Amino acid sequence: MDAHTHIFPLKIAEKATVNIGHFYDIPMAEQGSAEQLLASGAQIGTKRYLVCSTATTSHQVTSINDFIAEECGKHPEFFGFGTLHPDYEDLEGETRRIIELGLHGIKLHPDFQHFDIDSPGAYKIYEQIAGKLPVLIHMGDNRYTYSKPERLARVVRDFPDLRVMASHLGGYRCWDEARECLTGKENIRFDTSSSLPMLEPAYARKLIEHYGVENCMFGTDFPMWNPAEEFERFMNLGFSFAENQRMLSGTFKEWFGLA
């Protein structure tokens, strides 16, 4: 199970991928199409993929949710997350529609969407989804403060029924802060995406052990990184077979009640 991937409509996949690369100043490894995701994932035997995209403006919300739902209909390997935006007028109605579309959660990227995750606008989203849908949040980035780990600690305190997938081991380039703020939160799970290429393996392992293997999931952040290379980095952390199986599928299945 790849717990963190992005896909885009074929006609804009190349442009969208390039733009992400410019934002992070990192050359993208892949092109963000569904077909390329499936081809790349097949190289490491991936059976299921959490797929998502982000509405950078409120006007993109419905079209992105329709696209993700359509792709999930075409590809049973996909486990789709919709998106919301704090400026979207009918958050209640779109949350209901996301559930009706068969999507399983919400993806937010505060750095792209330009909002603090503990802002009143973000809280309007959590009020709609708490107890209904989990949220996958891009966490951390030392260039911004939108998704600082301390903000997420405040969010889960204020919304005890909100289930959060904290991307990038809790905080992209803010891992020390994440470790201090996010440990021991029952309603937070972590993914390994966009962390392993930047962390020393010993530190990455220590961070995962600190959170608990049972709270962590393998994710590639496709198309940012090549899945085969990410899988190799993950396996080189030196966890046991049982621990690897837990992070590669067990934690995700347990959290979502999958067989």
Side-chain angles (χ1 to χ4, degrees):
M1 178 77 202
D2 188 335
H4 192 142
T5 72
H6 305 269
I7 56 172
F8 310 99
L10 189 58
K11 64 182 180 180
I12 67 166
E14 182 175 0
K15 180 179 179 181
T17 303
V18 168
N19 287 339
I20 293 172
H22 289 163
F23 184 84
Y24 287 107
D25 195 24
I26 296 173
M28 297 293 96
E30 307 283 348
Q31 186 186 95
S33 68
E35 292 74 17
Q36 186 64 51
L37 172 60
L38 290 167
S40 297
Q43 297 176 16
I44 57 172
T46 305
K47 302 300 184 184
R48 300 202 75 181
Y49 308 80
L50 190 159
V51 295
C52 62
S53 191
T54 302
T56 55
T57 71
S58 61
H59 303 293
Q60 297 174 338
V61 168
T62 56
S63 61
I64 288 176
N65 292 335
D66 288 342
F67 166 71
I68 295 294
E70 289 169 5
E71 290 300 310
C72 290
K74 296 176 186 176
H75 306 289
E77 303 95 330
F78 289 171
F79 191 87
F81 268 37
T83 189
L84 291 171
H85 192 286
D87 294 336
Y88 191 79
E89 289 187 1
D90 187 10
L91 290 170
E92 180 180 4
E94 189 62 11
T95 298
R96 184 168 56 250
R97 198 176 76 89
I98 286 169
I99 294 171
E100 291 170 351
L101 286 170
L103 301 179
H104 302 281
I106 302 297
K107 170 62 189 296
L108 300 176
H109 195 306
D111 295 351
F112 289 172
Q113 297 175 297
H114 303 295
F115 69 88
D116 293 332
I117 60 174
D118 58 350
S119 66
Y123 274 39
K124 289 191 300 181
I125 293 176
Y126 309 143
E127 288 166 2
Q128 296 302 322
I129 68 174
K132 301 175 185 176
L133 294 169
V135 58
L136 171 63
I137 306 181
H138 164 88
M139 286 300 303
D141 194 324
N142 55 4
R143 301 173 298 173
Y144 310 102
T145 63
Y146 297 119
S147 55
K148 288 175 66 66
E150 65 182 37
R151 294 188 187 278
L152 182 57
R154 190 174 301 121
V155 168
V156 296
R157 180 199 67 198
D158 292 345
F159 291 89
D161 294 332
L162 181 68
R163 296 194 303 157
V164 179
M165 295 176 66
S167 298
H168 321 316
L169 289 176
Y172 175 76
R173 300 189 184 276
C174 297
W175 292 288
D176 289 340
E177 181 183 337
R179 182 182 176 187
E180 293 175 5
C181 297
L182 302 180
T183 302
K185 310 295 185 185
E186 292 184 3
N187 51 344
I188 299 181
R189 299 294 182 270
F190 304 87
D191 73 45
T192 65
S193 68
S194 287
S195 296
L196 304 184
M198 302 167 192
L199 294 173
E200 290 294 328
Y203 183 80
R205 179 184 172 111
K206 183 177 180 180
L207 194 57
I208 290 170
E209 290 174 334
H210 186 77
Y211 291 138
V213 166
E214 70 279 6
N215 296 318
C216 295
M217 311 176 195
F218 172 73
T220 64
D221 218 357
F222 175 94
M224 287 191 69
W225 310 101
N226 176 272
E229 293 176 0
E230 280 295 274
F231 184 67
E232 182 178 7
R233 292 183 184 107
F234 175 78
M235 296 302 292
N236 285 339
L237 296 178
F239 285 101
S240 70
F241 177 82
E243 289 170 327
N244 286 335
Q245 289 300 108
R246 178 76 188 199
M247 290 185 281
L248 288 168
S249 63
T251 299
F252 193 95
K253 289 180 177 179
E254 179 182 89
W255 221 44
F256 287 98
L258 301 176

